[in-house]
């Protein structure tokens, strides 16, 4: 816990003051919970939660060939990404597997911000930097320039509105605007990792503690509470959002992970395209599904899906779902078991437990 | 914090001796470390265990913990209320959140356990 090598976000003191339980996450000392995972989860589903996700990495790409470079380095179609919009994409290996998943923001005609997982930030920057040859681009790791606050939940917009002159209702889902929050410069992005409406605020690290306190103060009457990585994980799982190291990694492709909606094979060449085209032609052997545990217990990452004496699949994420009050998870299973209703058998610490495939996402927010 | 009538194990279980029966639970420290308990699996009535055997599992949203019995013996009662309301374990780990009652076979096992004062010291030093 008191490991001197752990990194801390600019909000570390705020978390301590709030009585957070701090854990090592990807080399960062991060709050896993404040009042409790279930409490925080429900606040985000019914009111709002405030997350510190300043540990995430940011890469700035600009230059005359910034678009051409990223169009080749990432699988989603930047040609369709307008200024003021973000999209979900990835860095893929030549084998079509994941280096990381990420968001790309188009800041200008030839300027982009890429937001990557904390656990992969250094690897991602090195990956991107090593592939700039032949492109007239400048690339910088600007992770230290941003603190990132995620205000998530159905009441996020009414909490944020009084603190900014930016017209929040004009920002569509996956849109963003440059503006101010309580006098501090910010990128206000209508994105998140919870399955709820909300905003991610990219702000100056020096301003972050003041904004954190200000948002919590302004949101208290609306039911806003600080939320940790524990709730972030149960929320993203209910929304069936992939997490690197779980659903995706350098052994999995978007074909298997149901993420081809963010891969545009017909946009022209990109890193990993060839492998994906032949993998699609050859057919895949397994696919990611959602499941609900029917028997007793909670499936966790790494638990086997079994058939008789054989291991036929693996759980990528599993938890108790605070919304549905049952054990849910995602797993890679053989193609014969992907249809909703298919029975699965889990090996939970040596015990055989029944589960059933259910449609993803588990949770879709009411609109 | 830690009732003086209980004895404590290094794995953060407590036992309370009532004649030839012992009541077994997990400690305040253990429930706090686990977080909100959402699932408790207990043994069957009549099941017999040796010292150190796993008798059940407790799962919180984020973690799972095995429960080991510090005493050998036979299960004579399980806390059914806890199976229905796992949060009892967070609310009252040394009381309504008890796990099982066992008829223990030997009092020798008790010697290896800590009293409340020793356990409190153990927890203060990290509990590992």
């Amino acid at each position: 816990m008191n490991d001197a090598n752990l990194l801390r976000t600019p909000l570390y003191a705020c978390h301590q003051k709030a009585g957070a339980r701090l854990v090592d996450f990807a080399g960062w000392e991060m709050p896993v919970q404040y009042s409790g995972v279930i409490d925080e989860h429900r606040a985000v589903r019914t009111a709002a939660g405030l997350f510190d996700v300043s540990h995430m990495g940011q890469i700035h790409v600009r230059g005359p060939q910034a678009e051409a470079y990223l169009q080749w380095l990432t699988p989603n179609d930047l040609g369709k990404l307008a200024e003021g919009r973000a999209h979900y994409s990835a860095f893929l290996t030549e084998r079509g597997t994941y280096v990381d998943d990420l968001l790309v923001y188009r800041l200008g005609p030839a300027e982009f911000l890429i937001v990557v997982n904390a656990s992969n930030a250094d690897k991602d920057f090195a990956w991107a930097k090593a592939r700039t040859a032949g492109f007239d681009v400048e690339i910088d790791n600007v992770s230290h320039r941003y603190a990132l606050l995620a205000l998530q939940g159905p009441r996020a917009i009414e909490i944020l509105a009084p603190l900014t002159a930016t017209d929040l209702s004009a920002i569509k889902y996956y849109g963003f605007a440059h503006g101010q929050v309580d006098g501090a410069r910010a990128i206000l992005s209508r994105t998140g990792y919870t399955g709820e409406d909300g905003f991610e605020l990219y702000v100056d690290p020096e301003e972050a503690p003041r904004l954190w306190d200000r948002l919590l103060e302004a949101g208290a009457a609306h039911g806003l509470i600080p939320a940790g990585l524990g709730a972030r994980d149960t929320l993203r799982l209910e929304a069936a959002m992939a997490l690197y190291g779980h659903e995706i990694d350098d052994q999995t492709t978007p074909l298997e992970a149901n993420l081809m909606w963010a891969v545009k094979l017909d946009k022209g060449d990109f890193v990993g395209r060839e492998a994906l085209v032949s993998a699609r032609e050859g057919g895949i052997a397994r696919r990611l599904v959602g499941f609900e545990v029917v028997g007793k217990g909670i499936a966790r990452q790494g638990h086997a899906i079994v058939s008789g004496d054989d291991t036929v699949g693996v759980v990528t994420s599993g938890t108790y779902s605070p919304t549905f009050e049952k054990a849910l998870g995602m797993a890679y299973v053989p193609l014969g078991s992907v249809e909703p209703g298919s029975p699965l058998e889990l090996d939970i610490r040596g015990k055989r437990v029944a589960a059933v495939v259910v449609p993803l996402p588990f949770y879709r927010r009411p609109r | 914090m830690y009732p003086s009538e209980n004895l404590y194990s290094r794995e953060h279980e407590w036992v309370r001796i009532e004649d030839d029966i012992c009541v077994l639970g997990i400690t305040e420290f253990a429930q706090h470390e686990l977080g909100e308990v959402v699932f408790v699996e207990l043994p069957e009535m009549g099941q017999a265990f040796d010292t150190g055997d796993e008798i059940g599992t407790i799962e919180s949203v984020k973690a799972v913990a095995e429960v080991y019995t510090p005493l050998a013996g036979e299960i004579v009662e399980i806390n059914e209320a806890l199976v229905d309301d796992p949060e009892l374990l967070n609310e009252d780990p040394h009381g309504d959140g008890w796990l099982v009652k066992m008829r223990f076979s030997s009092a020798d096992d008790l010697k290896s356990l800590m009293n409340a004062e020793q356990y409190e010291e153990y927890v203060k030093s990290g509990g590992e």
Side-chain angles (χ1 to χ4, degrees):
Chain A
M1 177 67 73
N2 300 313
D3 189 333
N5 295 321
L6 288 181
L7 299 164
R8 291 173 176 176
T9 78
L11 295 167
Y12 179 79
C14 299
H15 305 321
Q16 273 195 316
K17 204 173 66 186
R21 184 179 299 182
L22 296 153
V23 297
D24 174 1
F25 179 85
W28 291 79
E29 195 169 354
M30 296 298 291
V32 65
Q33 64 167 65
Y34 302 82
S35 53
V37 176
I38 296 175
D39 195 32
E40 294 161 28
H41 181 110
R42 293 198 173 132
V44 174
R45 287 274 180 261
T46 58
L50 185 63
F51 300 82
D52 174 16
V53 284
S54 302
H55 58 315
M56 294 195 73
Q58 287 85 24
I59 299 168
H60 192 223
V61 179
R62 68 180 157 178
Q65 288 189 291
E67 179 171 337
Y69 163 68
L70 287 178
Q71 189 72 313
W72 170 75
L73 192 64
T74 64
N76 208 339
D77 188 0
L78 282 163
K80 298 216 171 85
L81 185 67
E83 200 173 319
R85 301 279 306 162
H87 71 197
Y88 179 74
S89 192
F91 289 157
L92 298 178
T93 68
E94 281 79 5
R95 294 177 291 123
T97 61
Y98 281 88
V99 176
D100 201 4
D101 65 344
L102 46 87
L103 292 189
V104 181
Y105 289 79
R106 188 190 281 268
L107 301 177
E111 189 181 0
F112 300 87
L113 188 69
I114 303 173
V115 182
V116 302
N117 284 301
S119 55
N120 291 330
D122 292 339
K123 176 185 80 173
D124 290 342
F125 180 68
W127 175 269
K129 176 105 181 151
R131 283 161 181 77
T132 52
F135 292 99
D136 186 2
V137 289
E138 266 181 68
I139 176 167
D140 293 295
N141 185 346
V142 293
S143 302
H144 61 281
R145 274 193 224 159
Y146 295 102
L148 181 51
L149 278 60
L151 177 65
Q152 298 281 299
R155 308 196 74 171
I157 191 164
E158 38 184 316
I159 293 166
L160 187 57
L163 299 178
T164 181
T166 301
D167 179 6
L168 298 177
S169 60
I171 305 176
K172 294 192 184 114
Y173 189 50
Y174 269 74
F176 68 92
H178 292 275
Q180 292 197 338
V181 177
D182 201 37
R185 215 159 51 118
I187 297 173
L188 298 85
S189 170
R190 200 158 192 171
T191 47
Y193 195 50
T194 59
E196 294 300 333
D197 187 19
F199 291 85
E200 292 181 302
L201 307 171
Y202 296 82
V203 301
D204 183 340
E206 284 180 15
E207 296 278 12
R210 185 177 65 81
L211 289 175
W212 174 268
D213 289 341
R214 188 79 184 88
L215 283 163
L216 285 176
E217 190 187 297
H222 298 272
L224 175 67
I225 56 171
L229 295 183
R232 187 169 158 85
D233 193 49
T234 53
L235 288 158
R236 72 94 197 164
L237 206 159
E238 286 183 353
M241 291 167 151
L243 175 59
Y244 188 90
H246 289 253
E247 286 69 38
I248 54 174
D249 59 22
D250 63 2
Q251 302 299 317
T252 52
T253 67
L255 290 161
E256 301 162 310
N258 304 324
L259 292 171
M260 288 304 284
W261 57 270
V263 175
K264 304 293 152 62
L265 290 175
D266 53 4
K267 73 164 183 168
D269 192 28
F270 61 87
V271 179
R273 180 179 182 277
E274 213 172 300
L276 290 177
V277 167
S278 53
R280 192 179 58 169
E281 280 165 11
I284 54 173
R286 57 174 196 161
R287 211 148 120 205
L288 191 71
V289 296
F291 67 83
E292 185 182 313
V293 179
V294 178
K296 286 181 179 176
I298 299 168
R300 308 282 184 181
Q301 181 180 28
H303 288 170
I305 310 285
V306 292
S307 174
D309 290 336
D310 298 327
T311 294
V312 296
V314 65
V315 175
T316 55
S317 294
T319 191
Y320 169 83
S321 156
T323 301
F324 300 103
E325 300 186 334
K326 52 179 107 168
L328 302 177
M330 293 192 274
Y332 279 106
V333 300
L335 293 188
S337 301
V338 298
E339 286 307 315
S342 304
L344 297 177
E345 199 173 13
L346 296 162
D347 181 340
I348 298 184
R349 291 181 299 278
K351 285 192 193 110
R352 297 293 172 102
V353 177
V356 63
V357 174
V358 297
L360 291 176
F362 303 105
Y363 174 84
R364 209 185 287 274
R365 76 183 152 99
R367 291 183 198 235
Chain B
M1 166 85 68
Y2 296 101
S4 58
E5 65 269 30
N6 294 355
L7 294 171
Y8 299 87
S9 75
R10 300 178 70 82
E11 285 76 37
H12 306 287
E13 288 95 14
W14 58 261
V15 297
R16 188 170 64 245
I17 306 302
E18 297 173 348
D19 300 322
D20 61 340
I21 301 294
C22 86
V23 190
L24 188 151
I26 67 164
T27 65
E28 165 63 28
F29 176 83
Q31 75 77 18
H32 185 260
E33 285 295 295
L34 265 172
E36 297 142 298
V37 174
V38 294
F39 177 73
V40 177
E41 185 176 31
L42 297 176
E44 305 283 328
M45 291 283 287
Q47 254 186 295
F49 294 99
D50 278 334
T51 311
D53 279 357
E54 181 187 324
I55 60 161
T57 50
I58 298 171
E59 300 209 38
S60 67
V61 181
K62 301 309 299 171
V64 53
E66 281 86 26
V67 182
Y68 304 97
T69 174
L71 302 179
E74 181 194 331
I75 304 292
V76 294
E77 196 176 337
I78 61 170
N79 188 354
E80 299 280 3
L82 186 61
V83 176
D84 296 334
D85 284 313
E87 63 269 30
L88 279 177
L89 233 171
N90 296 115
E91 290 161 8
D92 193 9
H94 300 134
D96 290 344
W98 63 277
L99 300 174
V100 297
K101 293 183 183 178
M102 295 177 81
R103 178 167 289 114
F104 61 98
S105 40
S106 162
D108 284 354
D109 291 333
L110 296 173
K111 291 177 192 156
S112 63
L113 300 176
M114 292 173 267
N115 64 30
E117 208 175 306
Q118 291 166 325
Y119 180 70
E120 206 153 345
E121 278 304 307
Y122 174 65
V123 164
K124 269 186 205 154
S125 67
E128 289 169 24

